[in-house]
Amino acid sequence: MGVARFALCKISSSLLPRMHRPSALRQMSVAADLKNSTIFRSQGLIGGRWVAAHDGKTLQVNNPSTGEIIADVPFMGRRETNDAISSAYEALNSWSKLTATERSKCLRKWYDLIMSHKEELGQLITLEQGKPLKEALGEVSYGASFIEFFAEEAKRVYGDIIPATLADRRLFVLKQPVGVVGAITPWNFPLAMITRKVGPALACGCTAVVKPSELTPLTALAAAELALQAGIPPGVLNVVMGNAPDIGDALLASPQVRKITFTGSTAVGKKLMAGAAGTVKRISLELGGNAPCIVFDDADLDVAVKGVLAAKFRNSGQTCVCANRVIVHEGIYEKFAEAFSKAVQNLQVGDGFTEGVVQGPLINEAAVQKVESFLQDALSKGAKVILGGKRHSLGMTFYEPTIVTDVKTDMLLAREEVFGPVAPLLRFKTEEEAIRIANDTNAGLAAYIFTSNVQRTWRVSEALEYGLVGVNEGIISTEVAPFGGVKQSGLGREGSKYGIDEYLELKYVCLGDMNRK
């Protein structure tokens, strides 16, 4: 099968006191066990074959908790991507002509295999992405749920019959797969962001070329290995990684790729949108957020604290739906800040394999520097840190869970997505002001409100310019509901019965001369 070099480097003596020797050694042991797993792969997948880059170049995949090299994977580019596109295009005809039931059975088998390897996949996510193991296992279940859901939804891609305007006509609407799909996914959910795209694509008869993040490709490769084991034919699912601009350009330039789906930054999304115009591709974009979390004075304080905690600090604040601005009514501002601080103080920071840890590292040094620059901007404009506010004593890219008060709307913390464990608290006086502050952004992905007033629930939910709204709840994503944003947070929806429509084309068929004898 030709597995690329798997590296388990010795941990430097200077790092061990900060990381704790048992923790570091435990991660080395987990990595070694995963190397021998039946799901571990460190090469690209093209046409059912595990392959290296044409020129033999590789890139390192690092553990963000320790900085250690986990594995070397191929540094692929335009040539390998074109090979993958050709493979997907060749497989399209046979895969799309299978019955929905046959495709459904393949996807169901894939789901079963993902769940039977849940522990290994969770360990792999923690190893290369850093999130706590419990959270990683949750992602495996969440990611697998999209495969299960769309395995069922494959059999419910219904067409339509339109009453004809002429007696001798019959009018039909067919739904057919759009074709080859290019899927570009981020590092923060290395399994779920793939299954949420590939599940519906394969269910309706499309084939796919997936480009996972170069920071977290191993989970994608493991999922692809399980797809092969499930009997999904060669070429239906391909995985390339490496030179992101070259891979993206190849997907955009190819007329054989009929759909691009992307989760990531708004800046990259705009480039993909512009690039897709050249061949007029269908495009789905799930981009950055700037989620407001409004806490009204009639909210249950315990519910609000618990909800904001979940919405803000999941994955160390590294999700596109994390609460980026906590907007609190002035009448309960101090009370909420005190209760919230007590809750945040109890968040245990550490490597994801340590029992009780709920906050892992940030993905890399650039992420830490971004947090630091946003915080410095806020402090220079009058904000105050009441908890955290600095790198954690563990070193590496660990950062203390942080709460900042007296935040104003002109600060970077309120204008842009911090993507880290920093909770900025803003004040408001009236419901109208809270809505205005919440909507004062180009983003429109997720929003949260905490209130005990039913009328306010409906009123504010409808007024918020966001694709998702959580009411008295901080975790709202599910495979059965549509996920996506408005404004510059993207186009289209993922998950739910609506998600499969992103991968289907409508075809109108008119049958004439029905009464001719």
Side-chain angles (χ1 to χ4, degrees):
M1 300 295 287
V3 177
R5 181 174 69 88
F6 188 92
L8 289 175
C9 302
K10 292 183 179 179
I11 296 176
S12 67
S13 58
S14 63
L15 182 61
L16 279 172
R18 302 171 84 181
M19 268 300 300
H20 306 298
R21 188 181 297 269
S23 172
L25 295 177
R26 179 170 55 252
Q27 295 205 39
M28 292 180 67
S29 175
V30 170
D33 289 343
L34 286 172
K35 174 186 175 182
N36 297 317
S37 167
T38 59
I39 70 170
F40 183 83
R41 289 288 179 265
S42 56
Q43 291 183 306
L45 178 64
I46 299 176
R49 297 185 302 112
W50 296 102
V51 297
H54 282 295
D55 59 8
K57 289 183 179 179
T58 61
L59 63 90
Q60 296 175 346
V61 182
N62 297 94
N63 180 342
S65 288
T66 65
E68 292 305 299
I69 301 170
I70 305 169
D72 292 334
V73 298
F75 188 75
M76 295 174 157
R78 191 181 302 270
R79 183 177 173 185
E80 294 85 357
T81 305
N82 285 331
D83 289 345
I85 292 169
S86 296
S87 174
Y89 189 74
E90 290 171 7
L92 178 63
N93 186 56
S94 57
W95 178 251
S96 63
K97 283 183 168 51
L98 291 179
T99 66
T101 298
E102 289 173 308
R103 291 195 299 271
S104 175
K105 287 179 179 177
C106 286
L107 289 172
R108 179 68 205 197
K109 179 64 174 175
W110 190 16
Y111 164 79
D112 289 338
L113 285 171
I114 290 173
M115 292 307 294
S116 68
H117 291 276
K118 179 178 178 178
E119 189 71 26
E120 293 160 287
L121 286 167
Q123 291 174 343
L124 196 53
I125 291 171
T126 295
L127 202 63
E128 67 174 348
Q129 198 275 332
K131 67 179 62 174
L133 182 58
K134 182 178 179 180
E135 201 170 311
L137 293 171
E139 181 186 340
V140 177
S141 296
Y142 175 61
S145 71
F146 289 99
I147 302 300
E148 180 184 38
F149 180 85
F150 286 109
E152 299 162 351
E153 205 66 13
K155 296 177 286 186
R156 292 190 281 270
V157 178
Y158 301 130
D160 208 352
I161 299 175
I162 300 173
T165 57
L166 299 173
D168 65 345
R169 305 287 174 87
R170 296 296 181 269
L171 311 183
F172 300 92
V173 177
L174 307 180
K175 290 184 178 181
Q176 295 180 310
V178 67
V180 176
V181 174
I184 304 173
T185 60
W187 50 263
N188 56 342
F189 289 91
L191 178 66
M193 295 301 97
I194 291 174
T195 57
R196 201 161 74 180
K197 300 175 186 300
V198 172
L202 269 57
C204 65
C206 297
T207 56
V209 177
V210 175
K211 191 211 82 67
S213 168
E214 288 68 44
L215 298 173
T216 57
L218 300 176
T219 303
L221 297 173
E225 166 62 26
L226 292 176
L228 291 179
Q229 292 181 23
I232 292 175
V236 172
L237 177 60
N238 306 272
V239 183
V240 293
M241 73 234 83
N243 189 321
D246 281 1
I247 293 171
D249 287 346
L251 291 171
L252 291 170
S254 173
Q256 293 179 334
V257 177
R258 296 306 312 142
K259 161 86 178 184
I260 295 291
T261 173
F262 169 74
T263 296
S265 73
T266 300
V268 173
K270 289 178 178 179
K271 291 179 180 179
L272 291 172
M273 192 173 180
T279 50
V280 195
K281 300 186 195 303
R282 291 272 297 274
I283 190 162
S284 298
L285 302 172
E286 194 266 279
L287 308 177
N290 186 5
C293 188
I294 306 173
V295 183
F296 288 98
D297 56 355
D298 60 4
D300 182 308
L301 191 62
D302 291 338
V303 171
V305 168
K306 181 180 178 181
V308 177
L309 196 70
K312 173 67 257 184
F313 290 102
R314 183 167 63 120
N315 201 11
S316 298
Q318 300 174 114
T319 87
C320 53
V321 294
C322 274
N324 202 60
R325 297 167 292 157
V326 184
I327 307 168
V328 185
H329 189 273
E330 62 178 6
I332 61 167
Y333 187 90
E334 304 299 338
K335 185 178 180 181
F336 175 85
E338 181 181 355
F340 189 50
S341 295
K342 289 180 180 178
V344 174
Q345 282 177 337
N346 293 325
L347 298 179
Q348 185 176 338
V349 180
D351 87 85
F353 292 103
T354 300
E355 186 70 27
V357 163
V358 294
Q359 294 284 286
L362 298 188
I363 189 64
N364 55 23
E365 178 62 23
V368 180
Q369 291 180 6
K370 180 181 179 181
V371 168
E372 290 177 328
S373 67
F374 277 37
L375 191 58
Q376 182 56 44
D377 171 80
L379 294 177
S380 71
K381 295 175 181 176
K384 299 180 181 65
V385 172
I386 63 170
L387 185 69
K390 61 182 183 297
R391 293 175 185 247
H392 198 278
S393 60
L394 288 171
M396 297 302 298
T397 57
F398 292 95
Y399 199 87
E400 293 184 357
T402 299
I403 300 176
V404 186
T405 60
D406 296 335
V407 174
K408 302 296 188 297
T409 57
D410 63 337
M411 299 175 182
L412 285 176
L413 282 176
R415 304 305 304 172
E416 299 179 24
E417 196 172 32
V418 65
F419 233 65
V422 179
L425 306 189
L426 293 81
R427 301 173 191 262
F428 74 92
K429 294 182 179 180
T430 66
E431 180 180 303
E432 292 74 21
E433 183 187 13
I435 294 169
R436 180 184 58 77
I437 293 172
N439 288 339
D440 184 23
T441 174
N442 289 328
L445 186 54
Y448 307 89
I449 63 174
F450 290 87
T451 177
S452 59
N453 186 308
V454 176
Q455 289 79 13
R456 172 174 281 157
T457 291
W458 285 108
R459 197 166 55 241
V460 177
S461 294
E462 292 177 2
L464 289 171
E465 297 169 354
Y466 291 84
L468 316 168
V469 179
V471 180
N472 296 327
E473 180 56 63
I475 304 293
I476 60 176
S477 299
T478 170
E479 75 279 9
V480 301
F483 187 103
V486 300
K487 298 194 283 189
Q488 293 187 30
S489 283
L491 301 169
R493 293 296 182 268
E494 294 185 326
S496 81
K497 66 177 183 179
Y498 305 103
I500 203 165
D501 290 337
E502 302 289 337
Y503 301 90
L504 292 166
E505 295 281 17
L506 293 180
K507 179 180 286 185
Y508 158 55
V509 179
C510 174
L511 275 63
D513 295 331
M514 294 299 296
N515 295 327
R516 180 181 296 175
K517 296 181 180 179

